Amino acid sequence: MIAGAQYGGPIAMIRDDKKVLLLQKQQPIKPIIYIYTSAGKLIEQIQWDKGRIVSLGWTDQEKLVVVTEDAIVRLYTLHGEYTQFSLGKDAKNDGVIDCQIWSGGLIAMTGKYQLVSVTNFDEPQPKLMAEVKLDEPPQSWTVIPPQFTLSRHVEVLIAVGLTILVVDSKEASDQHLTQGPFTKMVVSPNGKFLALFTLDGKLWVVSTDFQKNLSEYSTKSKIPPQQLVWCGTDSVVLYWDKIVLMVGPFGDWIKYTYEDPIYLASEIDGVRIISNEKCELLQKVPTSTENIFKIGSTEPAAMLFDALDHYERKSPKADENIRSIKAELIDAVDSCIEAAGFEFQNYYQRSLLKAASFGKCFLDNYNANSFVDMAQSIRVLNAVRFYDIGIPLTYVQYKRLGPEVLIDRLINRNHHLLAIRIAEYLKLRTNKILIHWACEKIKSSTEDEEAICRTIVDKLSKKPGLSYAEIAKTAHDAGQTRLATKLLDYEPRAADQVPLLISMEEDETALIKAIDSGDTDLVYLVIFHLKRKLPLGEFFRMINNKPMAANLLEVYCKEQDTELLKDFYYQDDRRIDGANIVLAEGFNEMNISERIKKLKIAGKTYSEHRDRTFEAKAVDEAVKLLQFQLTLEKDSGQSYTGLSISDTIYKCTTQGQHNKASKIKTDFKVPDKRFWWIKLRALVEVRDWENLEKFSKSKKPPIGYEPFVEECIKAKQYQEANKYILKCDPAVRPMLFIKIGAFKEAGEQAYLNKDVDGLRQVRAKCTNHIVAQELDSLLAQLNAK
C-alpha cells in the first residue's frame, strides 16, 4: 500500500497484509510504515500495531493520513508525531471498508455502504452523506473535492451497474449512463474531467458534470489497470504489470515498459513514476520547449537559440538569425526564459537563459524582471531537487505552491539551513525558520540547559523582536523548566510571555512581568489566576508588596467583590479602609436594622482612631437619625428612613408634627437660621397660613421677615405676603410692594423714606392712571422740599 504526496512530496508505504509474501532476512514481522523522499532517502519509520489500515494519503501540510478498519484516523507529521480522531460510533460498529483521501479531507465507506465525510483535518467533524442504498461494494468510486464543485461541497461518484451515482450531503442522483460498468475512475487535478475505465477495456473521458464526451480509447484489455491516474490535465496514464500506457486527448498514445513494479503519483502538470531504482517525471512536452528543440524548427525562440550557438562559434550567421526575427525578438526571449524553467538539467537551463540574455542585448526597452525572477526560481528549484533534499518540484508546481509553502516544507523536514538561505535569497522573513530550529534543537540536544540557552540566544539575537514564547513552551513541554524561564527573559512581548509563565507555574515572575509591561489586562489575568489557585492569605501576601497589582485589585473589588476587598483590608490591617467599605454597604442596605448594625460597626472602628473623630461623630448622628426616623414611621405610618436631617424636619412640618421637628432641631443642634428657612418653606408648601403667622410671631425671626414675603410671593399669595411687608426693613418695603402689585402703598412707603429715586421707579412701573396721579403728586411734594 503506497501513497505519494503532491508537489514532489514524500512517499509513504506499508506492506499490504492481504498479500502473502515470503519474509526476507532482517525483515520485521510487525508492519512498519516507511516514509521516503522522492530520492529514496528514508525520512521516518512508524511501527504499526493499531489494526488493519484501509487507506493512506497526504494533506496539504504534508501530514500522512492513516485510516484504519475500526474508523480511527491518524495524522502523522514527517517525524512520527500524530493526532487522531474517530469517524463516529456507526462507522466504528460497521467498520470502514474503503476510503478516498484528498489534500483537504476524506470520504470513508462503511461496511453498510454508508459514506462519512470529513472536509477539514484541522477541525474534523465527521458527517454522514446521503444514503446510497447499495447491496454490494461498488465497482469503483472517487471524490470531487469541494473546491471543484459548483455547490462548494464534496461530491462522491459511485459506479453502480451501468451508471454512476453522484452523492452529496443531501441526495444521490443517478446520471443514467449506459457505458458501464466502470472498473476504475479518477478525477483530473483541476476537477473538470473524469477518466473512466469500462469493463470491456475502453478509456472514456467526460466532464465531471457528464455534459461533454471528450474522448474514447479502446485499450483492448479487459483486465482493469492497477492504477489509473491523470498526467496533469492533458492525458491519462494507465499502469498494468510492466506496462505504462499514456493516452492523449485525441486518441494518441505512448507505451513504456518497466521490468520492476512501479507506483504512479499524479501531479498538476505530469505524473511521477516511482520504482525501486529511481523517480521519473512524465509530462507533456511544454510548448516553449517544443518550439525551441523540435527538429527543423523555425520558431523565433529556436532561431534565437541557434543564433547564440553561431555567436559562440564566431559565425556571421548569428547576426543573420537575429535580423530575421527582429520583429518577434521579445517573444523569442520570453520563450527561452519560459523553457529554461521547464528544464531539469543545468546545461539546458544555462543555455536557454544565455540565449535569452543574448536576445535582450538587441532590445532597447525590454523589462528584465521575468528574466531575474526565472533565474531566482531555477536556483531555488535546483537546490530543493538535490538528492539530499529530494523534492523534485517543477517550475509550474513551484509557482502554484509559492516560496513560503516550500520553505514550510523544508522546515518540516528539518532542512533549516537551506530554508534560511532560500528565505534570505528571496528576501522573505526568517523568524519562523529560526523558531522551528530552536524548538528542534531543544527536543534533540543532549547538552546542558545553559549551553542550549546560549546557543539559541546567540543565533536568535541577530533578529530583534523575534518571539521566544514558542521556544520556551517547547522547553517547558520537554521538562526543561529552567531553560524555559531563561528563554522567556528574552521575550519582547509581555502578552506572549505572561500566559506562558502562568502555564509554567512561575506565578510571581508572571505577575512581575505583567506589572513591568504596564498592561492592566495582563495584570488582571495574573491576579485572577492567582486568586483561583492560591489560598486567600498567600494570595494577599503576593499582591501586597506590588502597589500596581494591589491598586488594580482594589478597583476591581469595589465594583465586583466587596467581601474580598474587606478580607484584603483586614489582612493588611487597613481598618479605616475596611470601615469605609462597611459604611458604604450600610448606606446601600435596604433593611434599616441591618443598616444601623453596619453603621455602628463602622462607627466603632472610627471611634478607635483619634484622627477620625469627625467620621465617628457623623456616623453616630446618622445612627441616631435612623432610630428617630424609625420612631416617626411607627407613629405616623409615613416613610422617613433615608431622609437627611433637613428633609426630616421639612416632612415633619408638612405632616403637622411641629413638636417632632423642634425635637430634631434640639437633638441634632440644627442652626436657627436653617431651621427657620426649612419650617417657613414647609408651611408655605402646605398653605398653613395660620401656623406661619404664629411661627413669625413666636420670636423675632433670625432670618428676618423678607423671606416670609418672598416665599408667599412665590406661592402667589400676595395677601399673605402683605402681612409681613410692613415688618421688613423700610428700605426694602417699596420694592416688595411693587412685587405684589401694590403701587400706591409702594409710593407712600418711598415718600415716607424720602426716597426720590425709589418713588420714580414706582411711578415708572405703575400702570393704573389714578394711582399714577397720586404718585405724581407725592413726587412733586418731595421735589418741592
Side-chain angles (χ1 to χ4, degrees):
M1 191 179 294
I2 305 173
Q6 274 199 325
Y7 300 99
I11 301 144
M13 59 182 73
I14 187 170
R15 184 170 62 81
D16 192 342
D17 58 4
K18 289 182 179 177
K19 295 175 183 175
V20 179
L21 292 172
L22 180 66
L23 280 176
Q24 304 294 320
K25 285 182 182 178
Q26 299 176 340
Q27 189 171 341
I29 297 171
K30 282 190 176 178
I32 296 175
I33 299 175
Y34 297 95
I35 302 176
Y36 294 94
T37 68
S38 291
K41 184 179 177 182
L42 183 65
I43 299 174
E44 188 61 54
Q45 291 182 189
I46 302 166
Q47 294 283 346
W48 187 259
D49 56 356
K50 298 291 182 285
R52 199 174 77 78
I53 295 173
V54 174
S55 185
L56 296 175
W58 292 93
T59 71
D60 280 331
Q61 289 78 35
E62 288 196 331
K63 287 185 177 178
L64 177 63
V65 185
V66 183
V67 184
T68 64
E69 201 171 36
D70 54 357
I72 298 295
V73 179
R74 280 195 177 187
L75 299 173
Y76 282 93
T77 66
L78 293 177
H79 305 295
E81 296 163 0
Y82 71 88
T83 56
Q84 70 176 41
F85 61 90
S86 172
L87 292 173
K89 195 174 178 182
D90 291 343
K92 185 177 181 181
N93 293 339
D94 300 337
V96 175
I97 58 168
D98 200 359
C99 186
Q100 295 281 350
I101 302 167
W102 75 95
S103 59
L106 61 84
I107 302 287
M109 184 179 282
T110 69
K112 290 185 177 176
Y113 310 115
Q114 178 66 56
L115 298 173
V116 181
S117 73
V118 173
T119 54
N120 186 346
F121 285 127
D122 295 327
E123 295 175 7
Q125 292 180 339
K127 292 179 182 175
L128 290 175
M129 299 192 73
E131 200 171 338
V132 187
K133 296 179 182 174
L134 294 178
D135 299 323
E136 58 183 3
Q139 289 123 1
S140 62
W141 65 295
T142 192
V143 170
I144 306 177
Q147 65 265 31
F148 300 131
T149 63
L150 287 172
S151 63
R152 287 293 179 261
H153 294 290
V154 64
E155 291 180 2
V156 183
L157 308 177
I158 301 177
V160 179
L162 299 177
T163 188
I164 287 176
L165 301 178
V166 178
V167 184
D168 58 20
S169 57
K170 294 179 181 174
E171 61 176 355
S173 56
D174 190 345
Q175 298 304 305
H176 303 292
L177 305 176
T178 56
Q179 289 89 337
F182 304 104
T183 54
K184 287 276 181 182
M185 64 168 84
V186 65
V187 176
S188 65
N190 62 5
K192 292 181 179 178
F193 311 122
L194 176 67
L196 303 139
F197 192 84
T198 64
L199 193 63
D200 57 359
K202 276 186 183 172
L203 176 67
W204 185 38
V205 179
V206 291
S207 59
T208 45
D209 58 3
F210 298 96
Q211 299 301 309
K212 291 180 184 174
N213 183 353
L214 298 168
S215 78
E216 282 187 39
Y217 175 81
S218 177
T219 63
K220 298 174 184 172
S221 168
K222 295 192 177 179
I223 301 168
Q226 292 174 24
Q227 271 189 279
L228 173 66
V229 299
W230 279 88
C231 178
T233 54
D234 305 301
S235 57
V236 180
V237 179
L238 303 91
Y239 168 58
W240 290 270
D241 190 25
K242 298 185 179 181
I243 294 172
V244 172
L245 182 66
M246 182 179 186
V247 180
F250 306 109
D252 299 324
W253 56 273
I254 306 172
K255 190 167 79 169
Y256 300 93
T257 306
Y258 285 85
E259 291 300 320
D260 294 328
I262 62 167
Y263 172 77
L264 305 178
S266 182
E267 296 284 2
I268 58 166
D269 60 343
V271 60
R272 269 186 297 155
I273 302 174
I274 300 151
S275 66
N276 290 336
E277 301 295 326
K278 56 191 171 183
C279 171
E280 299 172 298
L281 179 70
L282 178 64
Q283 65 174 166
K284 180 189 171 189
V285 176
T287 306
S288 56
T289 307
E290 185 184 352
N291 288 343
I292 295 168
F293 294 110
K294 188 168 64 175
I295 296 169
S297 173
T298 56
E299 293 289 330
M303 298 294 284
L304 175 59
F305 190 73
D306 191 42
L308 175 66
D309 182 47
H310 285 297
Y311 175 75
E312 287 176 341
R313 288 192 279 117
K314 299 181 179 179
S315 166
K317 199 159 186 289
D319 184 57
E320 189 182 318
N321 278 13
I322 293 293
R323 287 177 187 280
S324 69
I325 58 166
K326 188 69 176 175
E328 296 99 4
L329 191 52
I330 292 176
D331 293 337
V333 171
D334 289 341
S335 289
C336 285
I337 292 170
E338 186 183 347
F342 293 126
E343 291 298 329
F344 273 69
Q345 292 181 23
N346 289 359
Y347 171 78
Y348 287 108
Q349 291 169 351
R350 280 202 186 94
S351 299
L352 288 161
L353 287 177
K354 211 169 177 183
S357 181
F358 180 65
K360 278 199 297 124
C361 298
F362 299 94
L363 295 168
D364 294 330
N365 297 311
Y366 182 76
N367 187 342
N369 287 349
S370 59
F371 182 86
V372 174
D373 291 345
M374 182 59 77
Q376 281 187 337
S377 299
I378 289 173
R379 196 169 175 192
V380 170
L381 288 170
N382 287 343
V384 298
R385 287 169 184 168
F386 186 63
Y387 72 90
D388 206 32
I389 307 300
I391 306 178
L393 267 184
T394 65
Y395 177 71
V396 173
Q397 291 166 18
Y398 171 66
K399 283 297 170 189
R400 178 78 66 88
L401 204 61
E404 287 86 358
V405 179
L406 177 58
I407 287 168
D408 286 342
R409 295 192 170 191
L410 289 170
I411 293 170
N412 290 338
R413 288 164 162 80
N414 286 346
H415 293 307
H416 299 106
L417 181 59
L418 179 59
I420 283 176
R421 284 181 175 166
I422 289 174
E424 288 174 347
Y425 180 62
L426 298 175
K427 295 181 174 56
L428 301 173
R429 289 173 65 85
T430 57
N431 289 14
K432 64 181 175 183
I433 307 170
L434 292 167
I435 290 169
H436 191 277
W437 166 82
C439 293
E440 291 301 315
K441 177 80 176 167
I442 289 166
K443 288 177 190 174
S444 60
S445 182
T446 53
E447 297 175 10
D448 62 276
E449 293 185 358
E450 287 283 347
I452 296 171
C453 183
R454 200 162 46 249
T455 306
I456 290 171
V457 172
D458 287 349
K459 185 71 76 176
L460 271 55
S461 59
K462 296 166 191 171
K463 286 279 177 183
L466 190 139
S467 175
Y468 284 76
E470 190 180 333
I471 306 167
K473 186 177 185 304
T474 304
H476 177 64
D477 293 345
Q480 300 183 39
T481 310
R482 275 182 61 247
L483 174 61
T485 310
K486 282 180 183 176
L487 288 168
L488 270 183
D489 286 339
Y490 297 95
E491 171 55 53
R493 286 178 284 277
D496 293 334
Q497 190 179 37
V498 171
L500 192 54
L501 283 167
I502 290 172
S503 69
M504 289 162 55
E505 299 186 355
E506 296 286 337
D507 298 329
E508 188 148 10
T509 312
L511 184 56
I512 291 165
K513 294 289 184 187
I515 291 167
D516 290 345
S517 75
D519 187 336
T520 54
D521 289 343
L522 273 181
V523 180
Y524 274 128
L525 174 73
V526 184
I527 288 173
F528 295 145
H529 164 73
L530 294 174
K531 180 176 171 287
R532 284 193 301 270
K533 180 182 174 183
L534 300 176
L536 266 185
E538 199 176 328
F539 167 60
F540 291 143
R541 272 196 299 279
M542 191 176 283
I543 296 288
N544 258 343
N545 59 349
K546 299 172 183 67
M548 183 182 178
N551 292 342
L552 287 173
L553 180 65
E554 281 187 60
V555 171
Y556 165 75
C557 290
K558 281 174 184 174
E559 295 287 331
Q560 305 286 342
D561 194 344
T562 51
E563 287 302 316
L564 180 63
L565 189 57
K566 281 192 280 186
D567 290 339
F568 179 58
Y569 287 150
Y570 179 77
Q571 65 81 38
D572 200 22
D573 202 26
R574 291 163 63 178
R575 300 189 63 200
I576 295 299
D577 288 329
N580 292 342
I581 295 294
V582 175
L583 185 66
E585 283 182 347
F587 283 120
N588 290 328
E589 183 65 62
M590 299 308 293
N591 186 309
I592 302 304
S593 56
E594 280 296 315
R595 185 184 296 181
I596 292 170
K597 185 178 171 184
K598 288 193 174 182
L599 291 182
K600 282 181 177 177
I601 293 168
K604 185 173 182 296
T605 306
Y606 291 134
S607 65
E608 291 168 358
H609 291 75
R610 286 183 184 177
D611 58 339
R612 298 290 173 176
T613 49
F614 169 75
E615 286 92 337
K617 191 177 178 185
V619 171
D620 188 45
E621 286 193 353
V623 171
K624 275 170 62 182
L625 179 62
L626 278 170
Q627 290 169 336
F628 193 86
Q629 287 172 338
L630 281 175
T631 309
L632 284 173
E633 285 183 355
K634 284 177 187 173
D635 293 347
S636 66
Q638 296 286 325
S639 173
Y640 282 90
T641 51
L643 297 178
S644 66
I645 290 172
S646 297
D647 289 342
T648 307
I649 293 170
Y650 186 91
K651 190 163 184 177
C652 285
T653 305
T654 59
Q655 297 295 323
Q657 296 179 320
H658 301 295
N659 292 335
K660 299 280 187 188
S662 299
K663 188 171 184 340
I664 293 169
K665 174 190 177 297
T666 308
D667 289 354
F668 292 97
K669 297 176 183 173
V670 178
D672 272 357
K673 282 188 176 182
R674 180 155 60 128
F675 179 73
W676 275 72
W677 267 109
I678 295 165
K679 192 161 184 177
L680 166 62
R681 283 174 179 155
L683 290 169
V684 171
E685 172 74 24
V686 293
R687 306 296 194 264
D688 190 349
W689 309 120
E690 187 182 338
N691 276 316
L692 181 64
E693 195 170 349
K694 281 181 186 176
F695 180 51
S696 71
K697 293 175 181 177
S698 61
K699 70 173 188 178
K700 186 179 178 182
I703 57 174
Y705 285 101
E706 200 174 328
F708 282 78
V709 179
E710 295 285 357
E711 290 300 320
C712 289
I713 289 171
K714 282 181 191 173
K716 298 192 182 335
Q717 300 295 321
Y718 304 130
Q719 197 173 345
E720 292 296 326
N722 196 27
K723 292 178 185 177
Y724 305 102
I725 292 174
L726 291 174
K727 294 179 181 181
C728 294
D729 199 44
V732 298
R733 287 174 194 169
M735 286 302 111
L736 295 174
F737 275 124
I738 289 172
K739 285 182 180 178
I740 64 170
F743 293 103
K744 184 179 177 182
E745 289 83 351
E748 289 170 353
Q749 194 62 47
Y751 179 78
L752 291 173
N753 293 345
K754 296 179 182 178
D755 182 1
V756 177
D757 290 335
L759 190 55
R760 280 181 184 147
Q761 282 183 22
V762 175
R763 172 67 187 87
K765 290 180 180 178
C766 179
T767 53
N768 188 311
H769 295 298
I770 298 167
V771 176
Q773 287 175 2
E774 291 180 20
L775 292 174
D776 287 337
S777 172
L778 290 171
L779 197 58
Q781 290 176 39
L782 268 182
N783 287 331
K785 290 179 183 179

